[in-house]
Amino acid sequence: MMKAFHPLQGLLAITVLLAGCHGGAAVAPADTTAAALAVVKPVADCTQLAAVDVTDIGGAGSKINSATVVATTVNGSSVSLCVVKGTLAPSNTFEVALPVGTWTQRFAALGCGGLCGNVADPTKEDAISFSYKCPLVQQGGFVTAATDMGHQGFDPGWTADAQKQADFAYRGQHITTLAAKKLIKAYYGQEQKFSYFVGCSDGGREALMAAQRYPNDYNGIVAGAPAAHFQLQNSVFHGWSVVANSTTGDSSGNSILYPDKVAVLHKAVLAACADTPDGLISDPRACRFDPASIACPAGAQDTSQCLTQAEVLAAGRIYGGPADAKTGAPMQAGRPVFGSEGNWVGVEVPTSGSSSAPVPVKSGVFSYNIVTGAYNLIFTGTPARPDIDTFGYTDSSFYATYLAENHPLNDATNPDLSAFRKAGGKLILWHGWADQHISPLYTIQYYEAMQGQMGQATVDEFARLYLVPGVAHCGGGEGNDNIDLVSGITGWVEQGTAPGSVMTYKLDSAGAQTASRPVYPYPAVAQYTGSGDWHDGANYASGAPRYNVRTPSWPGSIFYTPYAPKVQGVPAP
């Protein structure tokens, strides 16, 4: 169900929510939510939207390029949409899809993944990133909007442009939302009743950026696997994944671990730590696996089902991350966790090769490509800038010296969401435990930082966090990667029904459901009751947390405290 992607594109919001609209009992049913708002028909012809002036939003040069009606099929239902394409100066390309006869007064902005550079077609079934067979989507109830966030394509040359940096960091989604809302008013003769944002990966960062910078833009936000710690993520985190698996300890070497041995490692991890009926890990932090436990015996001739000493060390480095040379303290609070190994191929390790047919450590590996692609975004203005081999892997001063400058521009880790809460906003965070791109431990740390800043009781009023066992980055993996959180956010915003358990689903290649299981608001985990078919989510209940230790302080903790956002380039309205 996952789409192929360019190494710098990442995973778009289109993969966020692909399950049926029938979550846990604590969530308002989707059909009830859909029936709560009347359908509003247009008061203008679609072609008239081509004349809407958007220069007040994007500035001189902003324009609508086209406005045409198209028919699309959404989960088997035919829906007519007025599709508006335009540009917000200097170069934010956007598209807005407005239902012709089925609008239920809701608007949703769709996040963009990786370093963006393309517009997710909001008319396509998989681009309307809500839920598989969800009535709100099938009925064409949402106006949707997407943007490339100010640049086109994946050539990193744009990253040296200060205005495009700002458009990617925070401005692009905001001005696209303003334009979409203006088009809604022009087309339907009224404003939307409710506004939402749904995004994953960088789209998750964009979601949190909106809550932090523009608390009045959206009533409800779903932020999946957020790259909120953009500075750290795309330098030290991914950089370490490269050098940790290198024969030379830098980006010039060959890889040590390859897909065949990663499969051996993954099988051993699950054998040691799986605690669910389907053989997954409900909370990897409670796992105490040591790669040395599957080390090859001295002098072994056949090493196909064990790890050589070099492979043991490489695995340990990938899991553990670097340490400060002076104190020995960890330099990172989040790394790929136990159980994620099955998803490392193409990210932490190359897609091909073996110990007998070695390939360069940077060959086709996402971690290398994203570091080089995001370089100018992270280190703009910093003298004597480091590179992937000279990041401060063992010097904690690196964070303050090199990453702090653009932290308030690119990062979305401000834990003070008081203004968003005051505006009545609701937030759902979610993350797959087996994420190979962004460690779920960072999302946990952000959630803890929110609790520390605002108080747990206050956070509980407007935010939830869900962690899904075995699910990879924004979907995929061995876990139940189909989950409907849109029903949760709309029910919470529109009816005041706070989400509790949410059902997750596993589908086979033909789209047939093979298993279901609930997830519960963090830190609770789903626990099999011990009777009935374990494939059936009805046979699970909320279980006690497997792990209760909060994230300890580390050098990057400075980025999870309140800060003033950095603004540059053309101001956003």
Side-chain angles (χ1 to χ4, degrees):
M1 299 182 69
M2 305 297 288
K3 288 183 172 289
F5 59 93
H6 186 283
L8 296 183
Q9 182 181 0
L11 299 174
L12 299 175
I14 59 178
T15 60
V16 177
L17 307 168
L18 302 172
C21 252
H22 40 280
V27 180
D31 55 353
T32 301
T33 305
L37 297 178
V39 170
V40 172
K41 301 295 180 67
V43 297
D45 186 80
C46 177
T47 58
Q48 293 178 277
L49 297 186
V52 172
D53 182 7
V54 289
T55 57
D56 59 327
I57 296 171
S62 299
K63 61 180 181 178
I64 302 298
N65 299 319
S66 65
T68 57
V69 174
V70 302
T72 188
T73 300
V74 181
N75 291 329
S77 299
S78 180
V79 177
S80 293
L81 301 168
C82 173
V83 178
V84 180
K85 300 181 180 182
T87 302
L88 295 166
S91 57
N92 289 274
T93 301
F94 72 92
E95 294 185 21
V96 181
L98 303 99
V100 173
T102 54
W103 185 52
T104 60
Q105 308 177 64
R106 298 176 176 90
F107 162 67
L110 308 179
C112 195
L115 298 184
C116 206
N118 70 321
V119 180
D121 184 347
T123 72
K124 299 297 184 183
E125 178 174 347
D126 58 356
I128 302 176
S129 59
F130 301 115
S131 301
Y132 182 71
K133 294 184 178 178
C134 176
L136 287 178
V137 177
Q138 285 181 302
Q139 296 162 9
F142 285 86
V143 168
T144 54
T147 174
D148 61 11
M149 296 175 67
H151 62 278
Q152 294 74 49
F154 309 114
D155 184 335
W158 68 270
T159 62
D161 184 306
Q163 181 58 57
K164 292 183 178 180
Q165 292 171 358
D167 288 342
F168 173 76
Y170 63 88
R171 181 173 175 266
Q173 288 287 4
H174 174 60
I175 58 177
T176 295
T177 290
L178 296 182
K181 291 180 177 181
K182 187 169 187 177
L183 290 166
I184 287 171
K185 182 68 177 294
Y187 193 45
Y188 301 108
Q190 68 166 68
E191 297 179 348
Q192 65 289 330
K193 291 286 187 182
F194 300 102
S195 297
Y196 299 95
F197 189 101
V198 183
C200 194
S201 193
D202 194 75
R205 179 190 69 91
E206 297 153 29
L208 292 178
M209 189 71 80
Q212 294 163 23
R213 285 186 182 246
Y214 305 108
N216 296 304
D217 274 5
Y218 310 105
N219 304 106
I221 290 174
V222 177
H229 53 294
F230 185 89
Q231 297 284 108
L232 173 69
Q233 177 72 30
N234 296 315
S235 58
V236 180
F237 180 92
H238 278 305
W240 181 255
S241 290
V242 174
V243 302
N245 192 38
S246 171
T247 53
T248 60
D250 60 29
S251 63
S252 69
N254 289 328
S255 294
I256 298 171
L257 280 168
Y258 293 93
D260 57 344
K261 290 303 187 74
V262 165
V264 171
L265 177 63
H266 182 57
K267 181 179 179 180
V269 169
L270 294 186
C273 296
D275 59 353
T276 66
D278 50 359
L280 300 177
I281 305 172
S282 58
D283 190 332
R285 295 173 299 176
C287 178
R288 293 294 178 265
F289 177 79
D290 184 349
S293 65
I294 56 170
C296 299
Q301 296 299 307
D302 181 4
T303 61
S304 63
Q305 299 303 312
C306 57
L307 299 187
T308 66
Q309 187 59 31
E311 291 165 346
V312 167
L313 294 175
R317 288 192 294 267
I318 291 173
Y319 287 130
D324 185 277
K326 294 181 179 178
T327 66
M331 288 286 290
Q332 297 176 38
R335 293 295 307 160
V337 299
F338 293 125
S340 66
E341 309 81 17
N343 305 314
W344 287 4
V345 176
V347 181
E348 279 77 27
V349 303
T351 56
S352 62
S354 65
S355 58
S356 60
V359 298
V361 70
K362 59 187 179 182
S363 178
V365 177
F366 179 93
S367 288
Y368 180 82
N369 291 332
I370 193 68
V371 167
T372 56
Y375 187 76
N376 287 324
L377 295 173
I378 297 170
F379 297 111
T380 300
T382 303
R385 297 186 294 177
D387 59 29
I388 194 170
D389 296 321
T390 59
F391 290 152
Y393 298 121
T394 61
D395 181 0
S396 60
S397 66
F398 177 86
Y399 292 105
T401 303
Y402 292 101
L403 297 185
E405 180 181 358
N406 276 346
H407 157 63
L409 174 67
N410 294 314
D411 287 347
T413 54
N414 191 333
D416 187 358
L417 296 185
S418 299
F420 180 68
R421 171 180 170 267
K422 184 177 180 180
K426 306 299 182 185
L427 170 66
I428 293 179
L429 292 157
W430 77 274
H431 212 129
W433 265 124
D435 195 318
Q436 70 276 38
H437 285 276
I438 300 173
S439 176
L441 300 179
Y442 285 117
T443 300
I444 291 172
Q445 175 162 24
Y446 179 68
Y447 191 67
E448 291 174 345
M450 288 171 56
Q451 293 174 327
Q453 176 66 31
M454 305 176 68
Q456 182 171 337
T458 298
V459 171
D460 287 346
E461 293 175 7
F462 75 97
R464 293 288 186 273
L465 168 61
Y466 294 93
L467 297 169
V468 192
V471 171
H473 187 60
C474 297
E478 298 163 305
N480 293 9
D481 62 334
N482 298 273
I483 177 172
D484 169 29
L485 294 174
V486 169
S487 292
I489 200 68
T490 55
W492 201 0
V493 167
E494 299 175 22
Q495 299 182 9
T497 307
S501 64
V502 178
M503 198 64 72
T504 67
Y505 302 88
K506 191 68 176 177
L507 307 181
D508 62 19
S509 58
Q513 179 183 316
T514 59
S516 62
R517 183 168 63 199
V519 289
Y520 295 90
Y522 179 82
V525 299
Q527 183 171 327
Y528 176 53
T529 59
S531 62
D533 184 359
W534 64 261
H535 296 87
D536 187 346
N539 297 318
Y540 290 80
S542 178
R546 299 281 195 270
Y547 188 89
N548 292 303
V549 180
R550 295 178 71 86
T551 306
S553 179
W554 60 290
S557 295
I558 59 174
F559 299 139
Y560 291 83
T561 56
Y563 56 89
K566 181 179 180 180
V567 177
Q568 66 185 41
V570 178

